[in-house]
């Protein structure tokens, strides 16, 4: 049976995406034999929105809500960075970093994304710092020199920006968004607080509807 195509649109600097990540990882593992998952980065903080944390005073309250509803933990180092408010959130840098990490064979895009989310939301390290990707590359067993070179390559940045356009063409206007592609179009699967089991049930319902 042909795998069902899914697209996951997320932003590594999106707190709700961080909260959703454990459920998505479990869902992807549980359904690995019947889905084909593509991950695209969205441009949540780009252009005039690429600003220091202090420009987004709603973030601490949102993080508390995310932790309450999903069970994720925001690390002490991140909390210190959040309190200072000086670190700029730049989604283009984050999306470029993810492409730099996944440009080598054998790396899981979900593992790379999770490592980036830990670097930011646990360790408080900027996703605009090339050294963060060097360290993640080592963690994932990749060639760190090649990853940093890819991060600094304008072609990688252009590819990241092209993903923002693709996400927009899919009609995504919030993150995280998990889409299932059907013969009749694209529809959303679950929401930011969905459990892995709920996502699997939604996939089952979709496949049953497609078969009928």
């Amino acid at each position: 049976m042909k795998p069902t195509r899914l697209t996951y649109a997320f932003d590594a600097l999106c707190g709700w995406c961080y909260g959703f990540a454990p459920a998505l990882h479990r869902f992807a593992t549980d359904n690995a034999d019947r889905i084909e998952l593509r991950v695209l980065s969205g441009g949540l903080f780009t252009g005039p929105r690429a600003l220091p944390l202090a420009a987004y005073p709603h973030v601490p309250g949102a993080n508390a809500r995310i932790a309450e509803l999903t069970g994720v933990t925001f690390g002490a180092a991140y909390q210190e960075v959040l309190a200072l408010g000086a670190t700029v959130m730049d989604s283009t840098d984050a999306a470029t970093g993810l492409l730099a990490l996944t440009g080598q064979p054998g790396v899981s895009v979900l593992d790379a994304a999770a490592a980036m989310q830990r670097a930011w939301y646990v360790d408080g390290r900027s996703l605009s710092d090339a050294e963060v990707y060097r360290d993640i590359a080592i963690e994932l067993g990749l060639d760190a020199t090649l990853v940093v070179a890819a991060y600094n390559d304008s072609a990688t940045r252009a590819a990241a920006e092209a993903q923002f356009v693709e996400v927009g063409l899919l009609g995504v206007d919030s993150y995280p968004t998990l889409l299932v592609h059907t013969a009749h179009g694209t529809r959303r699967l679950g929401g930011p607080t969905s459990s892995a089991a709920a996502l699997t049930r939604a996939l089952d319902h979709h496949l049953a509807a497609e078969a009928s």
Side-chain angles (χ1 to χ4, degrees), residues 22-38:
L24 177 68
H25 282 230
R26 178 63 182 270
F27 165 76
T29 299
D30 290 348
N31 296 280
D33 60 338
R34 58 177 185 160
I35 66 170
E36 179 184 296
L37 179 65
R38 186 183 184 204

Side-chain angles (χ1 to χ4, degrees), residues 41 91-101 133 150-153 156-158 160-161:
S41 293
S91 294
T92 306
D93 290 343
T96 301
L98 183 60
L99 286 176
L101 290 167
Y133 300 104
Y151 176 74
N152 290 322
D153 190 334
T156 312
R157 179 166 293 262
E161 292 170 341

Side-chain angles (χ1 to χ4, degrees), residues 10-11 118 162:
F10 95 119
D11 194 299
R118 286 194 301 273

Side-chain angles (χ1 to χ4, degrees), residues 49-106:
R49 287 181 54 82
L51 297 168
L53 277 163
Y56 296 99
H58 72 281
V59 168
N63 288 350
R65 185 71 171 154
I66 292 163
E68 175 189 357
L69 293 176
T70 69
V72 295
T73 300
F74 293 87
Y78 166 78
Q79 299 287 11
E80 291 178 6
V81 167
L82 180 60
L84 289 172
T87 301
V88 173
M89 295 188 292
D90 189 321
S91 294
T92 306
D93 290 343
T96 301
L98 183 60
L99 286 176
L101 290 167
T102 56
Q104 296 181 38

Side-chain angles (χ1 to χ4, degrees), residues 2 4 26 28 39 64 85-86 95 100 102 105 112 120 124 132 148 179 181 192 195:
K2 192 174 181 180
T4 300
R26 178 63 182 270
V39 177
T102 56
W120 175 233
V132 169
V148 172
L179 299 171
H181 300 276
S195 66

Side-chain angles (χ1 to χ4, degrees), residues 102-130:
T102 56
Q104 296 181 38
V107 62
S108 159
V109 64
L110 291 182
D111 287 346
M116 289 173 59
Q117 288 170 321
R118 286 194 301 273
W120 175 233
Y121 283 111
V122 177
D123 300 329
R125 302 185 68 192
S126 171
L127 296 185
S128 295
D129 182 355

